[in-house]
């Protein structure tokens, strides 16, 4: 924590950062006066620009493993979505970035970011989304305007991150100031009356200091499902490349959207049939999904003379979101239930209110140390650190008013109806969690080609959860304290500088008293009654640099198992949760990114999960044969195949064209085993013309064939994928 104390002094030193200090020259002695004069040159400092991926689909380094590492030294599969790929495909929304990563699926409901699945395991609810290695709060609509890249680490990783991370973690890497004057603005117009503008200004303020400002304004009608976002992210960095480097940054994003909560489905022979056009909005004009995210980060890095590096980061943030939406269902027309056969423009559509509101305040302090040293004749690469967290949350997850009675018909979407919000002040359930984590990892170089990795983490997690009285249900208070150990083992074989093979084993756990994923329960209980769930992941794979290191290829086979999943005790269903469940998923990952030729670039993310099964469960099979998945079933939201492909070709020095495909195989919704959702594939196209080094124009078409498909799934409805959209983007650099 001591390096943070130097931040205050660093502000005073900032004004002198640009002044080169020249050592005083001692007076010449009599003896030296007769000697030939020597010329003393001024010292020259060489500082490298911070690495970015603005001009490449390929990433070579990451900090997702705490210290800065080569991707080839990470003993797990990784997918990195670079700034180039984000820009090429206009992945403005965080969910769009995740859609371009294979193995990720979405549960429908609260706009898709509350429950994201990776390799079939929950990702969003357990808080496995990070910003620069620090846990990001749930429940806000993220934008990519300040992202340098998005990194997806596959497999268990509690040794690095603590609770969660069964299927993996997602790390958003924010843009940092660098030592160059560069400004960039973009303006986009598109379908659905989209208007988006971004600015990225980087200014050097001294010899080793720079200021960067990123900003966004985004508006779109989207045929009724409106989007309104604006954000700003200033950051100041000084001491770049010196022994002591400081960064102060602020991030603020606010949104005020009209959400497309869902579309109702028809089931024909056990298969979901989307019917309503994806652009049709059947909610009310008074619906909204609004909120904000604001956090400040102070960071200090001290570089020791022996090559060690100590990095300390302190972040405090406040996050708010309120959802007031309409759940859409088919009604009865003249007393006749709606079927796919009698569906028509006059079919009645009902709107039921759905409300959620949440406020979170978080404070995180992390200190990480890395170094290389020789001990007992072997080279060691050490990573160790400590992190402290305090998380407060206020939640009301059923903040809905009475039914409005404002219906419409299939033929009159977005009819302009609205209602007055009848709700009063919300009654909040409150949550507080405090955690302490300590970890150490050593990479031992047995030989120049063989490395062994061993790591261990200790976490102490303490949570309190207080509920308010609702009707006849009295207010209750719960608390829980857990201490856990998380190991990580691995080995690397690197026979040359372009190939790296790995094998790894890691564990993860999900705590019971957790604001993201589990409301503890039980009458008159003081302590939550369920210990953490635990999981483990075994992986074997390799990473390769091909075509003179222009292209990276990574592949791995994995086995992930949650071996004590929560189940409801059938003998005391209202009071008891048991760790008696078990499920697994096994498959293969493939990632390709980079240049095949100087003119041809490609990105491929592919996941194959042929084996996935609920091995043990107390869930009873419903008499209808439907209901939640039971023992022996394939878990919901776990397709066998999923892939994302993007490729571009430079036809002339000024013209670049590109295209891509997104594919997701058939799957079941979570909680509805009798329903199968068909596979789908969508196609995207892009053409970019560069007038000068400073000015370019890009045209994108997404979902070229206007494919109608179910993107986000719930047990009784779905969220449609985006319809065909076109965008024209002008980019200027100066």
């Amino acid at each position: 924590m001591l390096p943070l104390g130097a931040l205050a002094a660093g502000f005073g030193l900032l004004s002198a950062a640009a002044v080169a200090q020249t050592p005083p020259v001692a007076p010449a002695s009599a003896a030296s006066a007769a000697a030939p004069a020597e010329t003393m040159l001024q010292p020259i400092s060489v500082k490298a620009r911070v690495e970015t991926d603005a001009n490449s689909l390929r990433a070579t380094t990451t900090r997702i493993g705490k210290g800065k590492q080569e991707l080839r030294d990470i003993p797990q599969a990784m997918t990195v979505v670079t700034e180039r790929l984000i820009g090429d495909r206009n992945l403005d929304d965080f969910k769009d970035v995740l859609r371009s990563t294979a193995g990720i699926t979405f549960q429908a409901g609260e706009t898709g970011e509350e429950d994201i699945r990776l390799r079939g395991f929950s990702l969003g609810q357990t808080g496995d989304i990070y910003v620069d290695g620090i846990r990001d709060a749930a429940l806000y609509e993220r934008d990519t305007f300040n992202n340098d890249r998005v990194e997806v680490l596959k497999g268990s990783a509690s040794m690095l991150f603590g609770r969660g991370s069964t299927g993996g973690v997602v790390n958003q890497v924010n843009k940092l100031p660098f030592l160059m004057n560069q400004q960039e603005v973009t303006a986009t117009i598109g379908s659905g009356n989209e208007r988006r503008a971004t600015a990225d200004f980087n200014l050097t303020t001294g010899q080793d200091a720079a200021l960067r400002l990123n900003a966004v304004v985004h508006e779109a009608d989207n045929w009724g499902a409106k989007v309104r976002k604006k954000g700003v992210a200033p950051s100041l960095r000084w001491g770049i490349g010196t022994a002591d480097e400081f960064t102060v940054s602020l991030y603020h994003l606010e949104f005020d959207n009209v959400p497309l909560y869902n579309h109702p489905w028809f089931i024909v022979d056990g298969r979901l049939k989307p019917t309503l056009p994806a652009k049709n909005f059947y909610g009310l004009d008074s619906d909204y999904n609004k909120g904000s995210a604001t956090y400040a980060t102070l960071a200090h890095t001290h570089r020791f003379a022996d090559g060690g590096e100590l990095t300390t980061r302190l972040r405090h943030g406040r996050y708010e979101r309120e959802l007031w939406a309409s759940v859409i269902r088919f009604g009865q027309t003249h007393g006749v239930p709606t079927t796919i056969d009698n569906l028509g423009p006059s079919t009645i559509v009902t709107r039921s209110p759905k409300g959620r509101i949440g406020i979170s305040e978080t404070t995180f302090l992390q200190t990480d140390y890395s170094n290389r040293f020789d001990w007992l004749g072997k080279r060691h690469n050490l990573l160790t650190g400590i992190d402290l967290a305090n998380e407060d949350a206020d939640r009301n997850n059923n903040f809905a008013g009475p039914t409005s009675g404002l219906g419409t018909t299939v033929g009159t979407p977005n009819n302009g109806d609205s209602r007055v919000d009848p709700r009063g002040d919300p009654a909040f359930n409150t949550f507080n969690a405090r955690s302490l984590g300590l970890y150490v990892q050593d990479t031992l170089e047995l030989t120049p080609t063989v490395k062994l990795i061993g790591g261990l983490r200790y976490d102490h997690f303490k949570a309190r959860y207080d509920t308010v009285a609702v009707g006849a249900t009295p207010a209750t208070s719960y608390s829980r304290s857990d201490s856990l150990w998380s190991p990580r083992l691995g080995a690397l074989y690197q026979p040359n500088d372009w190939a790296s093979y790995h094998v790894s084993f890691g564990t993860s756990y999900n705590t019971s008293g957790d604001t993201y994923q589990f409301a503890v329960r039980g009458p008159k209980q003081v302590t939550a009654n369920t210990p953490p769930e635990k999981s483990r992941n075994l992986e074997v794979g390799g990473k390769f640099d091909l075509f003179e290191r222009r292209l990276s290829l990574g592949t791995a086979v994995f086995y992930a198992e949650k071996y004590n999943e929560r189940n409801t005790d059938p003998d005391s269903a209202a009071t008891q949760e048991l760790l008696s469940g078990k499920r697994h998923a096994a498959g293969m990952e493939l990632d390709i990114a980079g240049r095949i030729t100087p003119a041809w670039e490609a990105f491929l993310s592919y996941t194959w999960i042929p084996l996935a099964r609920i091995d043990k469960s107390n869930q009873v099979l419903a008499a209808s044969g439907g209901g939640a998945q039971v023992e022996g079933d394939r878990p919901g939201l776990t397709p066998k195949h999923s892939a994302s492909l993007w490729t571009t070709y430079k036809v002339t020095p000024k013209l670049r064209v590109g295209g891509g495909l997104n594919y997701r195989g058939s799957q079941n919704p979570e909680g509805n085993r009798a329903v199968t959702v068909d596979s789908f594939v969508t196609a995207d196209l892009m053409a970019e013309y560069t007038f000068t080094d400073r000015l370019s124009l890009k045209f994108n078409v997404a979902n070229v064939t206007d494919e109608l498909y179910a993107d986000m799934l719930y047990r009784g409805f779905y969220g449609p994928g985006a319809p065909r959209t076109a965008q024209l983007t002008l980019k200027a650099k100066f």
Side-chain angles (χ1 to χ4, degrees), residues 205-389:
T205 59
Q207 181 182 3
D208 56 14
L211 171 70
R212 193 166 186 176
L213 176 66
N214 281 272
V216 64
V217 176
H218 186 125
E219 295 186 357
D221 289 339
N222 284 349
W223 305 279
K226 298 176 183 179
V227 176
R228 301 286 188 273
K229 293 188 291 186
K230 54 185 178 181
V232 63
S235 54
L236 178 65
R237 187 176 175 212
W238 68 95
I240 300 173
T242 67
D244 286 287
E245 182 176 309
F246 300 87
T247 303
V248 180
S249 62
L250 175 69
Y251 180 94
H252 176 75
L253 177 72
E254 55 188 71
F255 53 94
D256 189 356
N257 306 334
V258 176
L260 173 58
Y261 189 87
N262 77 296
H263 275 186
W265 67 26
F266 289 107
I267 307 301
V268 179
D269 296 328
R271 308 193 79 83
L272 183 152
K273 298 294 182 183
T275 52
L276 303 179
K279 65 175 61 176
N280 281 12
F281 174 72
Y282 291 97
L284 299 170
D285 277 4
S286 52
D287 291 351
Y288 59 82
N289 178 24
K290 62 183 180 181
S292 63
T294 304
Y295 60 82
T297 307
L298 308 178
H300 169 253
T301 297
H302 178 72
R303 300 179 177 94
F304 297 90
D306 64 354
E309 186 173 287
L310 179 68
T311 299
T312 303
R313 294 180 296 273
L314 173 66
R315 177 177 296 162
H316 179 76
R318 180 179 174 88
Y319 309 82
E320 301 179 8
R321 192 191 76 158
E322 184 174 356
L323 174 73
W324 179 228
S326 297
V327 179
I328 309 304
R329 295 183 176 92
F330 291 123
Q332 294 188 2
T333 305
H334 304 300
V336 179
T338 300
T339 67
I340 196 170
D341 296 320
N342 63 24
L343 179 70
S346 60
T347 298
I348 298 296
V349 171
T350 65
R351 298 148 162 168
S352 300
K354 176 67 176 181
R356 285 179 179 245
I357 184 169
I359 301 170
S360 296
E361 286 200 17
T362 62
T363 303
F364 297 96
L365 176 64
Q366 294 185 187
T367 295
D368 303 297
Y369 174 76
S370 62
N371 203 356
R372 295 164 61 94
F373 61 92
D374 293 321
W375 185 48
L376 299 179
K378 300 295 181 182
R379 172 56 61 96
H380 298 258
N381 296 286
L382 177 69
L383 284 174
T384 186
I386 179 173
D387 52 71
L388 302 168

Side-chain angles (χ1 to χ4, degrees), residues 29 36 40 143 153 228 235 240 296 306 322 342 410 503-504 514 518 552 584 589 597 606 619 630 653 657 678 709:
S29 64
M40 177 171 288
D143 192 279
L153 178 69
R228 301 286 188 273
S235 54
I240 300 173
D306 64 354
E322 184 174 356
N342 63 24
V410 167
V503 58
S504 66
D514 195 320
F518 183 56
S552 296
H584 75 271
E589 301 274 358
T597 71
Y606 170 67
Q619 184 67 45
V630 299
V657 297
D678 288 335
Y709 64 97

Side-chain angles (χ1 to χ4, degrees), residues 21-29 32 38-43:
Q21 301 297 320
T22 304
V25 179
S29 64
S32 63
E38 294 183 358
T39 301
M40 177 171 288
L41 300 177
Q42 292 290 336

Side-chain angles (χ1 to χ4, degrees), residues 86-92 184-190 194 196-198 686-689 691 695-700 726-732:
I86 291 172
D88 272 1
R89 305 193 76 168
N90 281 0
L91 306 177
D92 303 326
E184 179 180 297
V185 295
T186 66
T188 300
I189 57 174
E194 179 187 357
R196 179 181 173 91
T198 64
M686 181 273 286
E688 181 184 52
Y689 189 82
F691 299 98
L695 187 66
S696 64
L697 186 67
K698 181 165 62 72
F699 181 65
N700 289 78
Q727 297 170 305
L728 188 64
T729 303
L730 181 67
K731 179 189 293 185

Side-chain angles (χ1 to χ4, degrees), residues 502-552:
H502 69 263
V503 58
S504 66
F505 171 82
T507 65
S508 63
Y509 65 90
N510 298 319
T511 54
S512 296
D514 195 320
T515 183
Y516 297 112
Q517 53 117 21
F518 183 56
V520 292
R521 63 184 180 181
K524 300 180 181 179
Q525 291 182 338
V526 178
T527 303
N529 59 352
T530 314
E533 297 177 306
K534 295 183 180 180
S535 305
R536 50 198 169 209
N537 184 82
L538 178 64
E539 180 174 309
V540 179
K543 299 182 177 72
F544 310 93
D545 295 325
L546 308 176
F547 302 117
E548 299 178 346
R549 298 187 182 178
R550 295 192 305 264
L551 182 139
S552 296

